[in-house]
Amino acid sequence: MIEARRLHILRAVADHRTVTAAAAALYLTPSAVSQQLAALEQETGHRLVERGAKGVRLTPAGEILLSHTNAVLAQLERAEAELAAYSSGAAGTVTVASFATGIALVVAPAVARLAESAPGIRIRVQDAEGDASLPMVLDRQVDVAVAVEYRGAPPADDPRLTHVPLYAEPFDAVVPVTHRLADAAEVPLAELAKDAWIGPYPGNPCHDVVVLACENAGFQPRMEHSSDDFRAVVALASADAGVALVPRSALRGMDLAGVVVRPVDGTAPTRRVFAAVRRGAEEHPLIRPVLDALGAAAQV
């Protein structure tokens, strides 16, 4: 008989590519992860992982088991959801990980809605970028992620996750007031090819959106300054340190005295924001109201 907790460990190893990283995500020791993998191999009668200089990879047998693992764990999530619905009702804690603007735009309003509509649900919020929040959901560190689509992200049909679209917003060009395009009604990105750029660090989903937009305009942006805080990005632009693309909602309430904000000429780069939960957990009586509240906040 295969133990479900060992399947969870197998998936974590497949996701993180090393025993050490999987152990850290699961709050286990590397030796405990190795022991559980060895026990799983004994249960299945197959070698499931191979260790190499670059980490751990699944064998063909491991890949077969992983495909079933995603289905099994999703079904267990559904079972937990049905049992929770059968029991006393919607009262408990749901942990939500979101990037900062998402917290301000949809998470905080959802918390306020739930205080009225589902007072038994307590929300705990963690600030995390989209590339970090999705692994946190898969590793059961949080229940819900509010994340941004980015290159390399799990796709919408990923068998491990259920995606709930929330909203999409354009990026606007932010240039110093002294910039040659400050008086333009719209900014063609190709005209910024030789400028210094300010933007998020690689790994931040917004970095991918900016770089891809510039690539589509025919150039690689020269990133002179990096910050994941858009207030810092705008402050540097106001100091004539470079130009930037910033999500429109992130500009709300900022001091824009030293910069000019203009829409991008043509098709604007866009960040698409969604909520994600482990597949099968979307109908859990604690999680469903949270997803509904996030969706309602996004519509507003």
Side-chain angles (χ1 to χ4, degrees):
M1 181 69 70
I2 298 175
E3 290 194 18
R5 63 192 178 97
R6 290 174 182 155
L7 294 178
H8 183 59
I9 289 173
L10 177 71
R11 187 164 79 176
V13 170
D15 287 342
H16 294 281
R17 301 296 181 183
T18 71
V19 168
T20 300
L26 298 173
Y27 299 102
L28 298 172
T29 63
S31 61
V33 169
S34 295
Q35 289 170 7
Q36 292 299 317
L37 287 175
L40 185 58
E41 289 181 329
Q42 186 174 8
E43 287 173 345
T44 60
H46 291 278
R47 187 179 182 187
L48 302 174
V49 297
E50 292 180 343
R51 293 169 173 80
K54 295 184 179 180
V56 175
R57 68 179 184 87
L58 298 188
T59 64
E63 294 287 356
I64 291 171
L65 184 57
L66 180 64
S67 67
H68 291 284
T69 292
N70 292 326
V72 168
L73 295 182
Q75 190 60 40
L76 287 174
E77 292 282 355
R78 294 186 189 99
E80 290 181 5
E82 290 187 18
L83 287 171
Y86 176 77
S87 62
S88 59
T93 300
V94 176
T95 304
V96 180
S98 172
F99 57 99
T101 309
I103 292 174
L105 200 61
V106 294
V107 177
V111 170
R113 285 175 177 271
L114 289 165
E116 295 290 333
S117 63
I121 299 178
R122 175 174 174 259
I123 305 297
R124 293 180 62 247
V125 180
Q126 297 185 21
D127 189 336
E129 292 298 337
D131 58 325
S133 62
L134 294 177
M136 292 168 72
V137 168
L138 290 171
D139 293 332
R140 303 182 72 89
Q141 296 173 8
V142 301
D143 302 301
V144 180
V146 174
V148 179
E149 290 181 4
Y150 61 96
R151 289 188 289 190
D157 61 353
D158 190 295
R160 302 169 298 171
L161 295 168
T162 293
H163 284 215
V164 179
L166 294 178
Y167 65 92
E169 64 172 327
F171 282 60
D172 288 326
V174 178
V175 302
V177 293
T178 56
H179 194 272
R180 63 189 181 279
L181 296 177
D183 293 330
E186 296 180 332
V187 173
L189 284 185
E191 296 295 321
L192 303 177
K194 295 183 178 180
D195 286 82
W197 279 75
I198 312 157
Y201 284 100
N204 184 314
C206 288
H207 175 89
D208 287 344
V209 174
V210 171
V211 171
L212 183 59
C214 292
E215 289 175 352
N216 289 338
F219 69 97
Q220 283 282 342
R222 177 166 54 88
M223 288 290 181
E224 289 286 336
H225 311 284
S226 297
S227 175
D228 288 335
D229 187 334
F230 285 116
R231 290 171 300 179
V233 171
V234 170
L236 286 167
S238 69
D240 205 16
V243 300
L245 289 174
V246 177
R248 188 165 292 171
S249 66
L251 294 168
R252 295 178 183 174
M254 280 196 194
D255 179 6
L256 303 175
V259 298
V260 172
V261 178
R262 294 288 184 266
V264 173
D265 184 33
T267 302
T270 301
R271 72 169 171 184
R272 292 175 173 80
V273 180
F274 62 93
V277 299
R278 292 180 295 277
R279 188 171 291 272
E282 60 272 13
E283 296 303 329
H284 191 287
L286 295 179
I287 292 176
R288 182 74 261 169
V290 175
L291 294 177
D292 290 342
L294 289 170
Q299 289 179 5
V300 173

